[in-house]
Amino acid sequence: MSESAKLSFKGQDYEFPVITGTENESAIDIAKLRASSGLITLDPGYKNTGATKSAITFLDGEEGILRYRGYRIEDLAEKSTFLEVSYLLIYGELPTQAQYEDFSKEITHHTLVHEDIKKILEGFPSNAHPMGVLSSMICALTAFYPDSLNPNRTEEEINLSIVRLIAKMPTFAAWAYKNEMGHPVNYPDNSLDYCSNFLKMMFALPAEKYDVDPVVSAALDKLLILHADHEQNCSTSTVRIVGSSQASIYASISAGINALWGPLHGGANQSVIEMLEAIKADGGDAKKYLDKAKDKNDPFRLMGFGHRVYKNFDPRAKIIKKAADDVLEKLGVNDPVLEIAKELEHAALNDQYFIDRQLYPNVDFYSGIIYRALGIPTDMFTVMFALGRLPGWIAQWKEMRENGEPIGRPRQVYTGANERDYVSMNKR
Ligand code: SDX
């Protein structure tokens, strides 16, 4: 028996269907709200509003649960690879051996980019933030593959765009870094796996031999898995709404990169390290900064803490925190900001302000410490987040298009001036 919800307004009763998902989450279907009652809803930040039905990622913020297509994030982080997780998110099932080999071979053979892209790269000054370079080069793919602008492409043509994105994003990311460093770019090495190829493009120099450290490559693969999707977060919602206008997948992903850039979202991993460095430079007094974070008159926030959905530990943060200890030990890295991070975490988890607001470490709190140990510079941390989130964005864009969802166009409550006559300049 389907359930419903009733609304009373100005003496009139309205009834709306309630839909329930496979994990027993329920939502009021208000598709007929305005037509039947003249009312709309208002929900800044969409804290209570579902934008879609999705079969890709399930997360339970109260229980700290995260699953990709039903598989637990803990199992995938331990047993899977980033390319396998990418296939799972995009196509819905874990690949067979043959499917996996085809997928990874396709990706390996699309890692090269058009030489003219280097002219775009060379147009950026060396102080350009790599996120701006990355989103520009992804959007430039619309110029090199103009067929991607056709909204009515076949599944095969869309799959080729998907392969191109996953294959070329590491090349663009590494080239953005090389542009910043003033180093010559490295071409992909198809003899290497996905993460090793990225690391070599990032760090190899013409003057020296470069061997990828398998510890670093394995740690990076795990980090990319942990970032691969997270249901309707800010950047994913951006990808979906841009794609809903039938903009190309390249334009939609480029928009997602720009949404992720913000310090309240993916940019937080860079802000966390900058915050920890500032605390260290200021004498390492964690409590002083905890008090700043609680002070309403101080704009300072404890970056890497809090989450719109997780009101318990972010399961990714738990895995990354353990990986940070393992990786730093294996690499023999002793990073003083890791100790400050642990001190800050302990203090916050025992502070009433944070307890009352259910503020826990999120995915960004420890990830920067690992990226730093892997030799990745701070302003590349959000690029790493984008590299991980790419298959999630693609999967969500593909689902939105396959479900034939309408163009996203929210309504508003107008609070501006009422009707008034134009006043000529000499009478103002
Ligand atoms: C990501 O959505 C996703 O899934 C995102 C993500 C993904 O995988 O895509 O998980 C990745 O973006 C993780 C979040 C990274 N951002 C940060 O670490 C930045 C610091 N955190 C926040 O600014 C904040 O917690 C948000 C943006 C993450 C969530 O903000 P909300 O849900 O809008 O909550 P809010 O800003 O309304 O805060 C509620 C209360 C407020 O206090 P009161 O007004 O109730 O007194 O908590 C306080 C806030 O001031 N608060 C913090 C805080 N975060 C919230 N106070 C101090 N430090 C913080 N970090």
Side-chain angles (χ1 to χ4, degrees):
M1 199 274 279
S2 64
E3 295 180 281
S4 65
K6 289 188 178 62
L7 169 72
S8 293
F9 177 62
K10 289 185 177 173
Q12 182 86 20
D13 291 339
Y14 303 91
E15 193 164 357
F16 302 96
V18 170
I19 67 158
T20 300
T22 50
E23 288 291 340
N24 299 317
E25 299 164 303
S26 294
I28 306 170
D29 178 345
I30 56 167
K32 295 187 170 59
L33 173 68
R34 188 168 184 272
S36 59
S37 70
L39 288 166
I40 65 168
T41 59
L42 183 63
D43 187 19
Y46 311 112
K47 295 190 177 187
N48 306 281
T49 300
T52 188
K53 293 186 280 191
S54 178
I56 298 168
T57 291
F58 171 71
L59 58 91
D60 179 322
E62 282 65 37
E63 299 302 319
I65 293 170
L66 174 58
R67 301 187 203 124
Y68 296 160
R69 298 285 188 181
Y71 295 96
R72 287 181 297 276
I73 190 64
E74 294 82 1
D75 291 348
L76 293 169
E78 186 190 333
K79 300 167 184 167
S80 188
T81 65
F82 177 62
L83 279 192
E84 181 177 79
V85 165
S86 298
Y87 186 99
L88 170 67
L89 286 167
I90 294 166
Y91 298 108
E93 297 296 336
L94 287 169
T96 62
Q97 184 70 37
Q99 288 168 330
Y100 180 75
E101 284 170 6
D102 286 348
F103 186 62
S104 49
K105 192 169 68 190
E106 275 288 282
I107 286 164
T108 299
H109 292 90
H110 281 84
T111 50
L112 264 181
V113 298
H114 194 294
E115 276 295 297
D116 285 354
I117 291 232
K118 281 164 72 172
K119 293 179 186 135
I120 299 171
L121 182 70
E122 284 151 14
F124 282 98
S126 57
N127 68 334
H129 194 290
M131 283 293 275
V133 176
L134 182 64
S135 66
S136 304
M137 294 203 284
I138 289 289
C139 203
L141 290 175
T142 54
F144 294 92
Y145 305 106
D147 61 311
S148 66
L149 300 177
N150 171 10
N152 306 309
R153 289 189 299 147
T154 64
E155 189 179 342
E156 192 181 349
E157 288 167 329
I158 288 177
N159 282 334
L160 178 54
S161 295
I162 289 172
V163 165
R164 282 174 171 149
L165 274 166
I166 298 177
K168 298 179 193 307
M169 186 99 137
T171 307
F172 288 155
W175 285 16
Y177 171 64
K178 287 304 196 186
N179 177 64
E180 199 179 5
M181 301 303 287
H183 293 167
V185 297
N186 290 312
Y187 287 97
D189 177 346
N190 289 351
S191 69
L192 298 175
D193 64 56
Y194 195 79
C195 286
S196 301
N197 175 45
F198 169 71
L199 290 165
K200 184 174 178 185
M201 287 193 288
M202 272 282 287
F203 297 120
L205 289 168
E208 290 163 19
K209 189 172 178 306
Y210 180 83
D211 294 321
V212 178
D213 182 334
V215 171
V216 173
S217 182
L220 180 57
D221 197 85
K222 184 189 287 253
L223 280 167
L224 296 183
I225 289 173
L226 292 168
H227 286 81
D229 194 52
H230 214 241
E231 53 130 284
Q232 303 309 313
N233 60 85
C234 177
S235 54
T236 297
S237 300
T238 302
V239 170
R240 285 183 84 117
I241 204 163
V242 169
S244 73
S245 73
Q246 295 193 351
S248 83
I249 190 168
Y250 299 134
S252 304
I253 297 298
S254 178
I257 293 170
N258 289 313
L260 185 72
W261 196 352
L264 292 187
H265 189 15
N269 56 19
Q270 174 174 343
S271 306
V272 166
I273 289 293
E274 288 164 353
M275 171 187 76
L276 293 172
E277 287 285 17
I279 295 172
K280 179 171 152 252
D282 188 23
D285 179 357
K287 186 170 177 331
K288 173 181 172 185
Y289 282 81
L290 213 63
D291 292 341
K292 278 171 65 68
K294 290 152 53 175
D295 178 357
K296 285 295 164 215
N297 300 317
D298 188 328
F300 175 80
R301 278 201 162 185
L302 204 55
M303 301 312 277
F305 258 79
H307 197 278
R308 173 60 59 76
V309 177
Y310 288 124
K311 300 309 171 191
N312 192 321
F313 249 91
D314 181 333
R316 302 166 296 178
K318 279 185 179 174
I319 299 169
I320 291 177
K321 179 180 177 181
K322 183 178 179 313
D325 282 329
D326 295 349
V327 169
L328 268 68
E329 187 188 342
K330 281 179 184 166
L331 296 176
V333 170
N334 174 28
D335 190 344
V337 298
L338 177 59
E339 294 321 308
I340 294 176
K342 288 180 176 177
E343 201 182 311
L344 211 49
E345 177 191 357
H346 177 74
L349 294 182
N350 293 285
D351 182 285
Q352 208 52 49
Y353 171 97
F354 286 82
I355 293 167
D356 292 348
R357 291 165 180 79
Q358 299 173 298
L359 302 176
Y360 289 85
N362 59 48
V363 66
D364 294 309
F365 190 63
Y366 282 104
S367 54
I369 289 164
I370 300 188
Y371 288 138
R372 204 155 94 135
L374 303 184
I376 290 166
T378 306
D379 69 357
M380 281 289 290
F381 289 178
T382 313
V383 169
M384 303 311 297
F385 195 143
L387 212 48
R389 185 53 52 89
L390 178 62
W393 286 332
I394 290 170
Q396 300 269 352
W397 182 91
K398 186 168 177 282
E399 180 180 70
M400 177 273 304
R401 294 291 279 265
E402 284 169 353
N403 290 353
E405 292 190 8
I407 185 169
R409 200 269 184 227
R411 286 190 174 267
Q412 64 165 25
V413 173
Y414 177 69
T415 56
N418 299 111
E419 185 178 6
R420 51 184 172 167
D421 297 332
Y422 183 80
V423 178
S424 54
M425 184 69 85
N426 59 8
K427 290 188 178 140
R428 288 175 203 164

